[in-house]
Amino acid sequence: SSIKMLLFLCHRRYPTVEVQAKTFNGSTHVTVPEDDAFLKALLFELRLTDQNFVEYRDTCTRLDTSPVYSVRTEGGDLWPVVAFQKGDLIYACLPLVEEALNPQPPMLSISGISQGLDLLTGILDYISPSRKNEAELSAKVGQLRNLLLQACPLGTPLQTNLRSLSSNFDDIQDFSTHSDPKQPAWRTNTYKGKPHVSVGISEKVKCMQYDQRDIIDVWQVYGTVTCKCDIEGAAPNVTLSLNLPTNGSPLQDIVVHHCVTSLDSAMFMSSSIDTTDDSAFSGPYKFPFIPPSDSFDLCSYTSQVPVPPILGRYQLNEEGSQLKLSINLKLHESIKNAFEYCEARIPFFNRGPITHLEYKVSYGQLDLSREKSLLVWVIGQKFPKSLEISLTGTVTFGPNTEETPSDIICIGNTAYVKLYFRIPDFTLTGCYVDQHSVQLFSPGKPKINSSRELISCDYYIWNSKASAPIMYKTLFT
């Protein structure tokens, strides 16, 4: 939620927030008056300028909701105004209510009230130690406007601890007197030093495998490109290109950060919903942008790769008081065989603790969790040369206890194996950034760092000997 900030000694308006408020309320919108008129109305509401009895303000039938007030102005009542007095100073803000004010919504449903109060408390904490030293107070108030540009750049509180922000004040420009009119609002400070650009591509692969004739396995990649650009200038122009190898999987459903200045419309034509479209744009994907001061997500995307990185088969059969399990995993030959970690977790729900375990594993090691309801197959950092591994075993359980993990889906033999892995310096789509993919229109040769990773996310292999939750089902004749 966004807020408008006002102090006796410093105030700040957010015109875009006022436009949002008008959009929510239409003809019933109450315009925020000029600063002097608002201050006069606020002082009156706080009984600081007229302490005589005023019917609408002082009647005992009016519910006291301080520090949230309704301030009467010539254009109507402004609500909710968050205000409190501490010493000789008044701290106040007008939060944006992201819904219509007629009828008046309950205060507990308005997140902006608590956010506004939190920010005002942060300002109080920053100002208060200097209240009795006029010179120090004046200096802090002079810094306050610039700190608010970082704490609340576009009207939304991002950081309420102004003390921590003030420690970096030397890096903050005085925008009120020296700001560049071309500097975008999201560049809240200016870097000085050698240009340095860091780009990270992180892809997560989700997968559901069933090993059943009438159920289609499904998988998809979700990628995020994160950037950190330390570049001099008020509005430096950067162009970054994402590249794919010849056999790379096209990017789909691309969403970009608002700092991107222009894009090729062909990049947005490919959607994962349209399964009949075989003319997907395959790059290069160029993103010209003016970077924010801090790390940010330049874009996100999805992709439908031809095969999942690890193919698996899980078979679980119940024989009397025992469960017999068989798991086969195969790393696809196109996948980089160099993991940071790789393991398969085999949980057993709605059963007692494991009392007896016999197993044979072709590779890696098998561990039993402390709760004795989970098997952890630690595969390690590489698959063997054959790229195939297997685990077979027999599990016996004791009686159920209160600590027994339960699940409403995994009943009977409906069970799964869940894979956890990370492959550094690799993406499933093949997407990459090289030194020539980043262009800076500023003096100095930039240092470019790039990284890639593939991480498993919700990677399930279901027991093919039992029913399982499915996303798609096709009958083959």
Side-chain angles (χ1 to χ4, degrees):
S1 183
S2 302
I3 73 164
K4 173 180 176 290
M5 165 66 216
L6 172 106
L7 263 87
F8 269 95
L9 301 176
C10 174
H11 66 274
R12 178 166 175 78
R13 301 178 73 117
Y14 293 93
T16 54
V17 177
E18 295 184 46
V19 170
Q20 286 181 280
K22 189 173 183 179
T23 302
F24 282 118
N25 292 281
S27 60
T28 62
H29 172 68
V30 178
T31 302
V32 181
E34 293 300 319
D35 299 330
D36 290 343
F38 178 80
L39 181 57
K40 183 178 179 181
L42 177 62
L43 293 176
F44 181 82
E45 176 62 31
L46 297 177
R47 300 180 178 87
L48 295 175
T49 55
D50 187 346
Q51 297 182 353
N52 295 321
F53 180 81
V54 179
E55 178 67 26
Y56 84 88
R57 184 191 67 181
D58 301 320
T59 176
C60 62
T61 59
R62 185 185 182 190
L63 183 65
D64 181 12
T65 59
S66 59
V68 180
Y69 299 90
S70 178
V71 175
R72 182 162 294 187
T73 68
E74 290 186 2
D77 290 351
L78 284 175
W79 182 90
V81 176
V82 180
F84 60 85
Q85 182 178 4
K86 191 69 174 178
D88 300 328
L89 298 177
I90 290 177
Y91 303 81
C93 67
L94 177 59
L96 172 69
V97 179
E98 297 179 298
E99 58 183 300
L101 292 175
N102 189 14
Q104 194 175 98
M107 287 193 295
L108 288 176
S109 69
I110 303 172
S111 60
I113 292 178
S114 58
Q115 288 185 335
L117 185 60
D118 194 24
L119 180 61
L120 293 179
T121 304
I123 295 172
L124 168 66
D125 185 54
Y126 169 69
I127 291 287
S128 192
S130 306
R131 254 190 331 109
K132 295 181 180 180
N133 186 320
E134 187 173 339
E136 189 176 338
L137 177 62
S138 178
K140 282 203 169 183
V141 171
Q143 295 178 2
L144 185 57
R145 182 174 179 82
N146 296 312
L147 290 175
L148 285 174
L149 284 172
Q150 282 205 326
C152 197
L154 298 176
T156 301
L158 304 178
Q159 166 69 278
T160 58
N161 187 348
L162 269 67
R163 280 191 180 186
S164 64
L165 286 177
S166 66
S167 63
N168 299 322
F169 183 71
D170 290 340
D171 297 329
I172 303 174
Q173 284 189 323
D174 186 352
F175 293 119
S176 60
T177 56
H178 302 97
S179 62
D180 189 323
K182 296 181 181 179
Q183 181 155 344
W186 56 85
R187 282 188 67 82
T188 55
N189 58 45
T190 299
Y191 171 79
K192 291 191 179 297
K194 294 182 179 180
H196 184 194
V197 177
S198 296
V199 184
I201 303 175
S202 179
E203 289 187 352
K204 295 182 178 180
V205 55
K206 292 187 177 184
C207 188
M208 290 276 183
Q209 296 182 40
Y210 302 97
D211 187 35
Q212 294 192 26
R213 184 172 178 271
D214 60 341
I215 303 176
I216 298 176
D217 295 344
V218 291
W219 59 89
Q220 192 165 33
V221 173
Y222 300 83
T224 303
V225 180
T226 303
C227 297
K228 178 69 166 69
C229 301
D230 294 324
I231 307 170
E232 290 188 352
N237 290 300
V238 181
T239 297
L240 183 147
S241 297
L242 301 179
N243 301 294
L244 293 177
T246 304
N247 60 345
S249 300
L251 310 185
Q252 300 174 311
D253 307 321
I254 297 175
V255 178
V256 301
H257 192 276
H258 58 74
C259 71
V260 176
T261 54
S262 64
L263 281 173
D264 186 342
S265 59
M267 290 169 53
F268 295 99
M269 300 304 291
S270 180
S271 170
S272 58
I273 298 176
D274 188 359
T275 56
T276 61
D277 183 18
D278 58 357
S279 59
F281 182 73
S282 58
Y285 303 85
K286 291 189 176 182
F287 300 90
F289 60 94
I290 300 174
S293 304
D294 299 316
S295 178
F296 68 101
D297 292 340
L298 176 65
C299 70
S300 60
Y301 58 86
T302 68
S303 183
Q304 189 59 61
V305 296
V307 292
I310 299 176
L311 288 167
R313 170 181 290 183
Y314 180 29
Q315 294 183 337
L316 186 68
N317 291 297
E318 192 164 1
E319 296 183 2
S321 60
Q322 294 182 332
L323 286 180
K324 288 193 173 182
L325 62 94
S326 173
I327 303 172
N328 295 90
L329 300 177
K330 180 178 181 180
L331 180 68
H332 193 269
E333 59 188 11
S334 65
I335 306 303
K336 181 180 179 182
N337 191 9
F339 294 79
E340 180 181 311
Y341 58 84
C342 182
E343 66 181 38
R345 299 184 185 180
I346 309 124
F348 297 97
F349 297 101
N350 311 308
R351 303 177 187 273
I354 295 174
T355 56
H356 185 70
L357 171 64
E358 293 182 4
Y359 68 91
K360 181 180 180 181
V361 62
S362 68
Y363 192 80
Q365 67 181 53
L366 189 66
D367 296 328
L368 176 63
S369 70
R370 181 181 300 177
E371 297 78 14
K372 296 186 177 181
S373 59
L374 172 72
L375 298 179
V376 180
W377 184 6
V378 180
I379 299 165
Q381 296 180 322
K382 290 180 74 71
F383 273 64
K385 289 184 178 180
S386 64
L387 303 182
E388 294 187 50
I389 57 177
S390 63
L391 164 67
T392 57
T394 303
V395 185
T396 305
F397 300 88
N400 280 342
T401 65
E402 292 182 359
E403 289 76 24
T404 298
S406 60
D407 189 279
I408 59 174
I409 294 178
C410 296
I411 297 175
N413 287 350
T414 298
Y416 61 77
V417 173
K418 189 173 183 181
L419 298 186
Y420 295 82
F421 57 82
R422 178 181 181 270
I423 306 177
D425 194 27
F426 179 81
T427 52
L428 203 52
T429 61
C431 185
Y432 68 95
V433 174
D434 61 27
Q435 294 284 333
H436 305 290
S437 299
V438 182
Q439 296 178 339
L440 270 65
F441 301 93
S442 62
K445 185 177 180 180
K447 180 181 179 181
I448 310 295
N449 289 335
S450 63
S451 62
R452 301 190 298 170
E453 66 176 2
L454 176 67
I455 303 174
S456 65
C457 177
D458 297 333
Y459 204 107
Y460 292 93
I461 301 170
W462 290 89
N463 176 23
S464 61
K465 296 296 183 179
S467 60
I470 61 173
M471 298 175 65
Y472 303 98
K473 186 170 183 177
T474 302
L475 295 176
F476 295 96
T477 56

